[in-house]
Amino acid sequence: MIVCGDDALAERLAAELRSVYRERVTVLVPATPPTASSGPGVAGRARAVALLGRVQAVMTRAAGTPHGEEGPQPETPRVLAASAPDEEALTNAGILHAAALALVYDDDETNIQAALAARRLNPRLRLVIRLYNRKLGQHLEELLDQAATVAAPGLDLTALDTSTTVLSDADTAAPALAATAVAGTRKVVQADGLLLRAVERTPPGQGEVADPGLCTLALLSSTTNDPAGVEGADDGGQDGPLLLPDDWTVATATGRGTVVLETVSHAGPALPPSRLSRRGLPLGSFFSPRLRWTLAGLTACVLALAVANWLTGHIHPLHAGYLTLLDLFAIDDPALGQSTSRQVLQLLTGLAGLLLLPVLLAAVLEALGTFRTASTLRRPPRGLAGHVVLLGLGKVGTRVLARLRELGIPVVCVEEDPEARGIPLARRLRVPTVIGDVTDEGVLEAAKIHRAHALLALTSSDTTNLEAALYARSVKPELRVALRLYDDAFATAVYRTLRAAHPQALTRSRSVSTLAAPAFAGAMMGRQILGAIPVERRVLLFAALDVAGNPQLEGHTVSESFRPGTWRVLALDSTAPDERLPDLAAPSSSEGTDHPTGLVWDLHPAYVLRPHDRVVLAATRQGLAELLGRRPPARTPFTEP
């Protein structure tokens, strides 16, 4: 396995492949520009050594397996440095013999160029590419798979499991991050119209019976209500979360919340309209309410004067209205020698005309200001409450913002950079946005943090997220807080401190790279990962697997194939083998037809899994590695025919 990149995702991915799947891994990192005192070789080695140390630290934390079992310590990945992932660098990394290549640079253009070069060098290679642009990713998958068949005529991509998978760490982590910030929002995994929803449930009271739903996916940490607890621990020990427990363990567990697979459906109800998500600009927003009431009062006054002219002058109503308008705009002759009532009405009408002039001027200026600010960011409304304050509109924050708006949740964004990636989306969705440094005084107050329901801190800086959370808690102690934190040890310390200081408030921490790395690693191993659901700081994976050739599944009943704490069969694909979609995670629209999933969820425990079956299962990372982590036969380098 070859991993190209040097950020947090590359570190987690390399550690995942090596410690969980026991694969041989080579990491290709970009060399830093040489300085006057060091040559390019020295700079490249320094960068490689730095990444190697970080990967070793991640592997050390992930070395333990669930329930305290210790496996053999994996070897350290090989790290190489190159100025660019060109053909020479990829060849030195062993691209001709590699089974899979992950391109996880933060720059889309670099990933695309490296993918094109890698496909030319080895058409049999599995490619996993990190791209933020979804539409471009779909076209790139088709292009690279077609290039593989052209470069090697007769190459069966399905048999060799050679494919191109384009993933986005932001898209992978966004549903979990959005669900963390809002009470009652379910954790969701979507694929092919399939909707898996997992919900956290509090421990049942005395005499109450907990609803198991379709099945219980996890028991939450036994110290969730303890200020000294270890929410987010990855060790899976007695105090940590217990994934995929058996029925006896669930029945005997007391005082522990659960994560339950609640329902499965194809589509949810239509989103309710929200005044915070208006895409257009209604006419009512051209003028303020005060100005509209003033115009209405003056109009009523003019109508009353027209009626008075009609009644006192004994003239036609239309003529009375015409005279009133002439008097209003001061273009009629003075009523000299006429009746007193006519003269008084003319004076009153002239006075109304004087009052109308500034009102008309104010209306024109206000309408121009409305048009001018229509393309600018909205400010938080004065009476806004119960919203989510979202810090950071980078790649991750942009995807989370879109997800929150899809769920109909009111949001106020805070971003320091007015040119950030998510600013156009916030402007298009008419989401209130505050431009400023969140650490500056008054910025969170402008976002109405004292009336907010939750704070979701998603900047790339752990310290900035922590500082914002601490300040927000000082303003509103009971505020729900979700932090984006990379380091597990730092996240555990933050959780314990905030939990001890505010025991009644909910605090959660999530790592984008931790949420995304299992999906990238699963794609590199050649299986289809449908999604991931975070359980505290652990991850539960959902995958679609063929039963054929799998001794842990083939020939066993559904109940016999269930291994507590490791994997559990959830559904069976009842579609005929020749009619199945090759990629269950692909949306139906991509196939051009409305293809039903044919998934059966109420499986009988005595059903025997047959070789032609395909199942959907939930598994831990180690469990999925054990199911399909068999090392493939040695690959020979590809040579041109």
Side-chain angles (χ1 to χ4, degrees):
M1 303 289 176
I2 301 177
V3 177
C4 295
D6 68 335
D7 62 355
L9 179 58
E11 299 167 20
R12 301 276 189 184
L13 179 56
E16 184 92 6
L17 291 170
R18 197 69 192 103
S19 62
V20 177
Y21 299 106
R22 302 296 194 249
E23 292 290 332
R24 290 176 295 174
V25 181
T26 297
V27 183
L28 185 63
V29 301
T32 55
T35 61
S37 59
S38 65
V42 175
R45 286 194 298 272
R47 189 142 189 171
V49 170
L51 177 66
L52 185 60
R54 297 197 300 268
V55 173
Q56 286 176 329
V58 176
M59 290 175 58
T60 301
R61 293 193 296 267
T65 56
H67 309 297
E69 299 175 1
E70 293 293 335
Q73 294 298 322
E75 298 177 3
T76 302
R78 183 168 64 111
V79 181
L80 303 177
S83 58
D86 51 17
E87 294 188 6
E88 180 182 359
L90 292 173
T91 302
N92 293 334
I95 194 72
L96 299 179
H97 303 268
L101 168 68
L103 298 165
V104 293
Y105 293 105
D106 196 43
D107 179 46
D108 287 1
E109 183 178 352
T110 301
N111 290 332
I112 294 174
Q113 291 178 353
L116 296 174
R119 184 58 84 201
R120 287 196 304 268
L121 293 171
N122 188 353
R124 295 188 177 94
L125 189 71
R126 282 195 300 271
L127 282 175
V128 180
I129 309 170
R130 174 188 185 181
L131 283 185
Y132 184 79
N133 191 322
R134 301 172 181 172
K135 193 171 184 179
L136 177 61
Q138 295 177 358
H139 296 306
L140 186 63
E141 286 183 355
E142 299 174 0
L143 173 65
L144 291 175
D145 284 343
Q146 183 179 359
T149 59
V150 172
L155 182 65
D156 188 354
L157 299 181
T158 304
L160 292 177
D161 197 15
T162 301
S163 62
T164 304
T165 305
V166 176
L167 298 174
S168 168
D169 54 336
D171 284 335
T172 304
L177 291 171
T180 304
V182 183
T185 302
R186 295 169 175 84
K187 302 170 183 178
V188 179
V189 174
Q190 295 179 344
D192 189 28
L194 169 72
L195 188 62
L196 302 175
R197 300 193 296 180
V199 58
E200 289 188 11
R201 291 183 177 172
T202 57
Q206 188 174 5
E208 298 179 356
V209 178
D211 182 8
L214 295 178
C215 69
T216 300
L217 297 177
L219 291 174
L220 297 178
S221 172
S222 60
T223 57
T224 300
N225 299 321
D226 182 5
V230 289
E231 189 276 340
D234 255 341
D235 55 10
Q238 180 181 2
D239 292 333
L242 182 60
L243 303 184
L244 301 175
D246 56 26
D247 296 338
W248 183 86
T249 303
V250 174
T252 56
T254 57
R256 300 183 68 167
T258 58
V259 178
V260 176
L261 190 64
E262 189 180 48
T263 59
V264 179
S265 60
H266 289 280
L271 293 176
S274 173
R275 65 188 182 96
L276 292 179
S277 60
R278 293 180 295 191
R279 295 174 181 267
L281 190 62
L283 291 177
S285 65
F286 282 174
F287 312 112
S288 64
R290 181 180 301 177
L291 183 59
R292 293 199 298 269
W293 280 108
T294 302
L295 289 173
L298 286 175
T299 301
C301 178
V302 172
L303 290 176
L305 291 172
V307 172
N309 271 325
W310 169 46
L311 295 177
T312 58
H314 305 288
I315 56 179
H316 193 274
L318 292 180
H319 186 60
Y322 176 68
L323 290 177
T324 302
L325 291 177
L326 291 178
D327 292 336
L328 182 68
F329 297 113
I331 57 177
D332 194 18
D333 294 332
L336 300 176
Q338 299 185 23
S339 64
T340 303
S341 60
R342 168 63 183 148
Q343 292 176 343
V344 171
L345 289 175
Q346 188 179 57
L347 292 175
L348 294 176
T349 305
L351 179 61
L354 293 176
L355 296 176
L356 181 62
L357 287 178
V359 175
L360 292 177
L361 179 61
V364 171
L365 294 177
E366 192 167 289
L368 290 176
T370 301
F371 279 113
R372 185 176 60 253
T373 59
S375 60
T376 61
L377 295 170
R378 291 189 64 194
R379 299 290 296 176
R382 183 172 300 177
L384 181 63
H387 57 287
V388 173
V389 177
L390 174 62
L391 308 184
L393 286 177
K395 289 183 177 181
V396 177
T398 302
R399 293 290 193 241
V400 173
L401 172 61
R403 182 68 182 175
L404 290 172
R405 295 308 308 133
E406 289 173 3
L407 296 173
I409 298 169
V411 185
V412 173
C413 300
V414 179
E415 172 57 50
E416 181 180 6
D417 182 11
E419 303 297 328
R421 185 185 295 267
I423 293 296
L425 178 64
R427 182 181 295 112
R428 179 169 59 87
L429 296 179
R430 301 288 295 158
V431 175
T433 304
V434 178
I435 301 297
D437 188 351
V438 70
T439 60
D440 292 342
E441 187 176 354
V443 173
L444 282 178
E445 284 82 355
K448 305 291 190 286
I449 192 66
H450 59 287
R451 289 202 294 263
H453 169 72
L455 171 69
L456 189 54
L458 298 181
T459 69
S460 58
S461 172
D462 287 5
T463 55
T464 299
N465 294 336
L466 177 59
E467 184 176 353
L470 294 176
Y471 183 78
R473 279 282 171 82
S474 67
V475 176
K476 187 177 181 181
E478 70 277 11
L479 182 69
R480 172 186 290 260
V481 172
L483 303 173
R484 174 187 176 187
L485 300 176
Y486 170 75
D487 186 79
D488 289 333
F490 182 58
T492 301
V494 169
Y495 171 78
R496 289 178 174 178
T497 304
L498 291 179
R499 186 71 177 174
H502 305 280
Q504 302 303 322
L506 183 60
T507 303
R508 290 291 183 265
S509 65
R510 297 290 180 258
S511 168
V512 173
S513 58
T514 300
L515 295 173
F520 279 78
M524 292 186 71
M525 295 299 295
R527 53 184 166 268
Q528 186 54 60
I529 302 295
L530 300 180
I533 287 179
V535 180
E536 298 180 8
R537 285 186 71 86
R538 299 190 67 191
V539 176
L540 193 62
L541 300 177
F542 290 79
L545 305 179
D546 292 324
V547 174
N550 198 315
Q552 292 94 339
L553 301 177
E554 185 177 350
H556 296 280
T557 65
V558 172
S559 60
E560 291 172 348
S561 64
F562 172 40
R563 183 178 296 182
T566 309
W567 65 71
R568 179 171 187 165
V569 174
L570 300 177
L572 176 72
D573 191 352
S574 61
T575 310
D578 55 344
E579 296 180 0
R580 291 174 184 166
L581 293 176
D583 185 1
L584 223 154
S588 301
S589 58
S590 66
E591 301 291 329
T593 58
D594 222 0
H595 188 94
T597 62
L599 294 175
V600 179
W601 295 91
D602 53 346
L603 288 176
H604 194 280
Y607 176 81
V608 179
L609 299 175
R610 295 167 292 180
H612 63 270
D613 287 338
R614 179 168 68 167
V615 296
V616 174
L617 52 81
T620 62
R621 296 181 300 176
Q622 290 83 0
L624 199 54
E626 184 178 347
L627 271 174
L628 292 179
R630 300 181 302 276
R631 188 175 300 281
R635 297 196 172 215
T636 57
F638 174 76
T639 56
E640 295 284 349

